[in-house]
């Protein structure tokens, strides 16, 4: 692995003298680690397999980590950074993330194994992209080739997380704008929402739909299937803990198209799910995904590849963290804060 470090150092040195020396590295490629860490992706796969077999919720956690990473300052593992004395409030502690994101310990476990195999080579941002793909496949979903070469960022911002993450009470227009903000289109939005085939949400996030729709006391969102709404009210009583978890779709822990069947049947959990059928483009995609799981799977892989390329840090930007929760102690002289 020393040779890989050497080639990176040579490349960096080359940049000083001859800017083109690194141009080949300035985009992602599937074989990015083929000489520097050939077994890296197999190691990730092995761990994800084990972790998901033990707890299928980890698949949901890993998939969502990649999404929340990419939407906030680009796919640079900013979501993994812990607070420090100079950065007290970070992305992972922002309201949409706190007490909600999970699988951080599993990421640590994978990263430790990668560092043992090839120290300082495999970025945390790439780890998240590969682990998200593997998590989907381990729960019965599609697979896709993941382009690699993302670099890890130096900063994390709670404010950015609040600004960039989509709101669960958003309508089709709100969500379309939110995704356009990071270069994704309405098709990506509808198809990536299919990730809600995995995992769970908290009662606090549906209370307003059940008991306070549009701010009217005791009004339930009339677009909710009435039996589904009644069931949700049993699971999420008004005056109990909002931290109680409910499943995102009716097939827990399985990546399939049942989420779309639920949405088409007015059983989408959040307003952001229900709203997908309120627009002709959305309705068309939901109808296709409901009827043809293979079609959904294909589109999902393509959309994940697009999501995985938001605002990348490449080449000499950023760094490769040795621990995903903290930036490296000695920073690269060419460090950049651009995102
Ligand atoms: C369309 C806009 C989206 C909105 C408004 C949204 C909102 C949410 C909310 C509110 C939760 C529950 C969080 C909680 O109550 O603690 C959730 C869970 C989840 N979301 Fe999304 N989401 C969106 C898109 C996505 C995308 C694009 C992905 C991935 C590609 C994704 C993956 C997940 C997963 C896997 C979970 C379950 C997490 C777990 O069980 O730990 N979501 N989402
Ligand atoms: C690569 O990693 C996998 C998973 O940890 C392991 O089973 C395999 O033996 C490793 N192969 C090599 C060549 O190190
Ligand atoms: C398995 O999952 C449980 C929770 O579902 C967790 O407490 C435990 O630490 C996990 N074990 C391993 C080896 O990851
Ligand atoms: C009901 O909704 C309104 C507006 O959305 C909000 O300001 C208010 O706090 C909510 N009331 C309760 C009891 O949650
Ligand atoms: C389902 O979608 C796949 C992939 O797009 C396509 O090849 C297949 O013909 C579709 N099946 C039906 C029954 O439409």
């Amino acid at each position: 692995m020393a040779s890989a470090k050497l080639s990176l150092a040579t490349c960096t040195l080359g940049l000083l003298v001859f800017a083109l020396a690194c141009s080949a590295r300035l985009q992602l490629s599937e074989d990015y680690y083929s000489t520097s860490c050939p077994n890296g992706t197999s190691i990730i796969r092995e761990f994800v397999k084990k972790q998901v077999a033990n707890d299928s919720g980890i698949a949901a956690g890993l998939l969502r980590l990649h999404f929340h990473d990419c939407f906030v300052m680009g796919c640079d593992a900013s979501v993994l950074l812990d607070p420090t004395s100079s950065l007290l409030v970070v992305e992972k502690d922002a309201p949409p993330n706190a007490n909600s994101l999970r699988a951080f310990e599993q990421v640590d476990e994978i990263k430790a194994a990668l560092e043992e195999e090839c120290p300082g080579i495999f970025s945390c941002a790439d780890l998240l992209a590969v682990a998200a793909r593997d998590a989907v496949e381990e729960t019965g979903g599609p697979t896709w080739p993941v382009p690699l070469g993302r670099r890890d960022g130096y900063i994390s911002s709670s404010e950015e997380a609040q600004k960039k993450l989509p709101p669960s009470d958003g309508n089709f227009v709100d969500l379309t704008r939110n995704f356009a903000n990071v270069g994704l289109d309405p098709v990506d939005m509808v198809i990536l929402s299919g990730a809600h085939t995995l995992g769970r949400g908290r009662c606090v996030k549906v209370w307003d739909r059940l008991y306070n729709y549009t701010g009217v006391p005791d009004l339930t969102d009339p677009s909710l299937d009435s039996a589904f709404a009644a069931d949700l009210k049993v699971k999420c009583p008004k005056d109990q803990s909002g931290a109680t978890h409910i499943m995102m779709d009716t097939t827990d822990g399985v990546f399939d198209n049942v989420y779309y069947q639920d949405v088409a049947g007015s059983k989408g959990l959040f307003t952001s799910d229900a709203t997908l059928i309120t627009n002709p483009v959305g309705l068309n995609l939901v109808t296709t995904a409901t009827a043809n799981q293979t079609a959904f799977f294909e589109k999902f892989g393509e959309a994940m590849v697009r999501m995985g390329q938001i605002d990348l840090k490449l080449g000499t930007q950023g760094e490769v963290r040795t621990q995903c929760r903290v930036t490296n102690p000695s920073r690269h002289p060419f460090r950049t804060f651009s995102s």
Side-chain angles (χ1 to χ4, degrees), residues 57 60 102 195-201 246-249 252-253:
R102 52 175 164 167
H196 286 178
T197 181
L198 292 180
R200 63 194 194 185
I246 41 199
M247 291 307 143
M248 302 287 290
D249 84 347
D252 182 23

Short mmCIF file of all heavy atoms in Angstrom, two decimals, residues 57 60 102 195-201 246-249 252-253:
data_model
loop_
_atom_site.label_atom_id
_atom_site.label_comp_id
_atom_site.label_asym_id
_atom_site.label_seq_id
_atom_site.Cartn_x
_atom_site.Cartn_y
_atom_site.Cartn_z
N GLY A 57 -32.43 -2.93 10.24
CA GLY A 57 -32.55 -1.48 10.35
C GLY A 57 -31.26 -0.75 9.98
O GLY A 57 -31.29 0.41 9.57
N ALA A 60 -31.31 0.53 6.44
CA ALA A 60 -31.99 1.82 6.33
C ALA A 60 -31.08 2.94 6.78
O ALA A 60 -30.96 3.99 6.13
CB ALA A 60 -33.28 1.80 7.16
N ARG A 102 -28.86 6.78 12.12
CA ARG A 102 -28.22 5.66 12.82
C ARG A 102 -27.17 5.00 11.93
O ARG A 102 -27.00 5.39 10.80
CB ARG A 102 -29.25 4.65 13.31
CG ARG A 102 -30.22 4.17 12.24
CD ARG A 102 -31.13 3.07 12.79
NE ARG A 102 -32.30 2.83 11.95
CZ ARG A 102 -33.09 1.79 12.08
NH1 ARG A 102 -32.84 0.87 13.00
NH2 ARG A 102 -34.14 1.64 11.27
N ALA A 195 -36.63 4.80 -1.43
CA ALA A 195 -35.79 4.36 -0.30
C ALA A 195 -36.64 4.18 0.95
O ALA A 195 -36.25 3.46 1.87
CB ALA A 195 -34.68 5.38 -0.03
N HIS A 196 -37.80 4.83 0.98
CA HIS A 196 -38.69 4.68 2.13
C HIS A 196 -39.36 3.31 2.17
O HIS A 196 -40.26 3.07 2.98
CB HIS A 196 -39.72 5.82 2.18
CG HIS A 196 -39.12 7.13 2.61
ND1 HIS A 196 -39.82 8.30 2.69
CD2 HIS A 196 -37.85 7.44 2.99
CE1 HIS A 196 -39.02 9.28 3.11
NE2 HIS A 196 -37.81 8.79 3.28
N THR A 197 -38.91 2.40 1.34
CA THR A 197 -39.28 1.00 1.47
C THR A 197 -38.55 0.38 2.66
O THR A 197 -38.90 -0.70 3.12
CB THR A 197 -38.96 0.21 0.18
OG1 THR A 197 -39.36 -1.14 0.35
CG2 THR A 197 -37.47 0.22 -0.14
N LEU A 198 -37.50 1.05 3.14
CA LEU A 198 -36.73 0.57 4.29
C LEU A 198 -36.90 1.50 5.48
O LEU A 198 -37.05 2.71 5.30
CB LEU A 198 -35.23 0.52 3.96
CG LEU A 198 -34.72 -0.51 2.95
CD1 LEU A 198 -33.20 -0.37 2.80
CD2 LEU A 198 -35.07 -1.93 3.35
N GLY A 199 -36.84 0.94 6.67
CA GLY A 199 -36.66 1.76 7.86
C GLY A 199 -37.91 2.26 8.53
O GLY A 199 -39.02 1.77 8.31
N ARG A 200 -37.70 3.28 9.33
CA ARG A 200 -38.73 3.73 10.26
C ARG A 200 -38.74 5.25 10.39
O ARG A 200 -37.78 5.92 10.03
CB ARG A 200 -38.43 3.11 11.64
CG ARG A 200 -37.09 3.61 12.17
CD ARG A 200 -36.56 2.82 13.35
NE ARG A 200 -35.46 3.60 13.96
CZ ARG A 200 -34.71 3.17 14.96
NH1 ARG A 200 -34.89 1.98 15.47
NH2 ARG A 200 -33.76 3.95 15.45
N GLY A 201 -39.84 5.75 10.88
CA GLY A 201 -39.95 7.17 11.19
C GLY A 201 -40.49 7.33 12.59
O GLY A 201 -40.94 6.35 13.20
N ILE A 246 -42.43 4.05 13.84
CA ILE A 246 -43.36 3.34 12.98
C ILE A 246 -42.66 3.01 11.66
O ILE A 246 -41.74 3.71 11.25
CB ILE A 246 -44.63 4.19 12.68
CG1 ILE A 246 -44.20 5.62 12.44
CG2 ILE A 246 -45.65 4.03 13.79
CD1 ILE A 246 -45.28 6.63 12.57
N MET A 247 -43.07 1.95 11.02
CA MET A 247 -42.41 1.51 9.80
C MET A 247 -42.74 2.43 8.63
O MET A 247 -43.84 2.95 8.53
CB MET A 247 -42.85 0.08 9.47
CG MET A 247 -42.31 -0.92 10.47
SD MET A 247 -40.53 -0.72 10.61
CE MET A 247 -40.28 -1.00 12.34
N MET A 248 -41.77 2.60 7.74
CA MET A 248 -41.97 3.49 6.60
C MET A 248 -42.89 2.88 5.54
O MET A 248 -43.53 3.60 4.79
CB MET A 248 -40.62 3.83 5.94
CG MET A 248 -39.63 4.48 6.89
SD MET A 248 -40.02 6.19 7.30
CE MET A 248 -39.69 6.98 5.77
N ASP A 249 -42.90 1.53 5.42
CA ASP A 249 -43.86 0.88 4.53
C ASP A 249 -44.31 -0.43 5.15
O ASP A 249 -43.86 -0.76 6.26
CB ASP A 249 -43.32 0.73 3.09
CG ASP A 249 -42.44 -0.51 2.90
OD1 ASP A 249 -42.03 -1.13 3.91
OD2 ASP A 249 -42.17 -0.86 1.74
N ASP A 252 -41.42 -4.44 6.29
CA ASP A 252 -40.28 -3.99 7.09
C ASP A 252 -38.99 -4.73 6.70
O ASP A 252 -38.98 -5.95 6.63
CB ASP A 252 -40.61 -4.25 8.57
CG ASP A 252 -39.50 -3.78 9.47
OD1 ASP A 252 -38.72 -2.92 9.05
OD2 ASP A 252 -39.42 -4.29 10.61
N GLY A 253 -37.95 -3.97 6.46
CA GLY A 253 -36.63 -4.57 6.25
C GLY A 253 -36.42 -5.19 4.88
O GLY A 253 -35.39 -5.82 4.65
#
